[in-house]
Short mmCIF file of all heavy atoms in Angstrom, two decimals:
data_model
loop_
_atom_site.label_atom_id
_atom_site.label_comp_id
_atom_site.label_asym_id
_atom_site.label_seq_id
_atom_site.Cartn_x
_atom_site.Cartn_y
_atom_site.Cartn_z
N VAL A 23 0.64 19.00 -10.06
CA VAL A 23 0.66 20.34 -9.46
C VAL A 23 1.71 21.20 -10.13
O VAL A 23 1.46 22.36 -10.47
CB VAL A 23 0.87 20.26 -7.93
CG1 VAL A 23 1.20 21.63 -7.35
CG2 VAL A 23 -0.34 19.66 -7.26
N THR A 44 5.43 44.32 -27.36
CA THR A 44 6.72 44.73 -27.92
C THR A 44 7.46 43.49 -28.42
O THR A 44 7.20 42.37 -27.96
CB THR A 44 7.61 45.43 -26.88
OG1 THR A 44 7.92 44.50 -25.83
CG2 THR A 44 6.93 46.67 -26.30
N ARG A 50 11.00 37.38 -25.26
CA ARG A 50 11.21 36.76 -23.95
C ARG A 50 10.23 35.62 -23.72
O ARG A 50 10.58 34.57 -23.21
CB ARG A 50 11.04 37.80 -22.83
CG ARG A 50 12.33 38.45 -22.39
CD ARG A 50 12.15 39.27 -21.11
NE ARG A 50 11.00 40.18 -21.11
CZ ARG A 50 11.01 41.40 -21.64
NH1 ARG A 50 12.10 41.87 -22.21
NH2 ARG A 50 9.94 42.15 -21.60
N ASP A 54 11.35 31.82 -23.04
CA ASP A 54 11.03 31.17 -21.78
C ASP A 54 9.95 30.09 -21.89
O ASP A 54 9.83 29.25 -21.01
CB ASP A 54 10.56 32.21 -20.76
CG ASP A 54 11.66 33.20 -20.39
OD1 ASP A 54 12.85 32.92 -20.67
OD2 ASP A 54 11.32 34.28 -19.85
N ASN A 55 9.17 30.12 -22.97
CA ASN A 55 8.05 29.18 -23.13
C ASN A 55 7.99 28.64 -24.56
O ASN A 55 6.98 28.78 -25.25
CB ASN A 55 6.72 29.88 -22.80
CG ASN A 55 6.72 30.50 -21.44
OD1 ASN A 55 6.56 29.81 -20.45
ND2 ASN A 55 6.93 31.81 -21.37
N ALA A 75 7.12 48.48 -38.09
CA ALA A 75 8.31 49.33 -37.91
C ALA A 75 8.99 49.62 -39.25
O ALA A 75 9.47 50.73 -39.46
CB ALA A 75 9.29 48.66 -36.96
N PRO A 96 -5.50 42.42 -41.36
CA PRO A 96 -6.26 43.67 -41.53
C PRO A 96 -5.61 44.87 -40.84
O PRO A 96 -5.56 45.98 -41.40
CB PRO A 96 -7.63 43.35 -40.91
CG PRO A 96 -7.75 41.87 -41.02
CD PRO A 96 -6.35 41.35 -40.84
N PHE A 107 -1.30 53.53 -51.77
CA PHE A 107 -1.88 54.69 -52.44
C PHE A 107 -0.78 55.59 -53.02
O PHE A 107 -0.89 56.07 -54.15
CB PHE A 107 -2.77 55.50 -51.50
CG PHE A 107 -3.41 56.66 -52.19
CD1 PHE A 107 -4.44 56.47 -53.10
CD2 PHE A 107 -2.97 57.96 -51.94
CE1 PHE A 107 -5.03 57.54 -53.75
CE2 PHE A 107 -3.55 59.03 -52.59
CZ PHE A 107 -4.58 58.83 -53.50
N GLY A 112 2.02 57.79 -57.49
CA GLY A 112 3.28 58.04 -58.20
C GLY A 112 3.24 57.57 -59.64
O GLY A 112 3.77 58.23 -60.54
N ASN A 114 0.40 57.23 -61.32
CA ASN A 114 -0.64 58.08 -61.89
C ASN A 114 -1.25 57.50 -63.17
O ASN A 114 -1.41 58.20 -64.17
CB ASN A 114 -0.11 59.50 -62.13
CG ASN A 114 -1.25 60.49 -62.26
OD1 ASN A 114 -2.33 60.29 -61.71
ND2 ASN A 114 -1.02 61.58 -63.02
#
Side-chain angles (χ1 to χ4, degrees):
V23 168
T44 64
R50 266 191 311 277
D54 295 344
N55 305 282
F107 182 72
N114 200 28

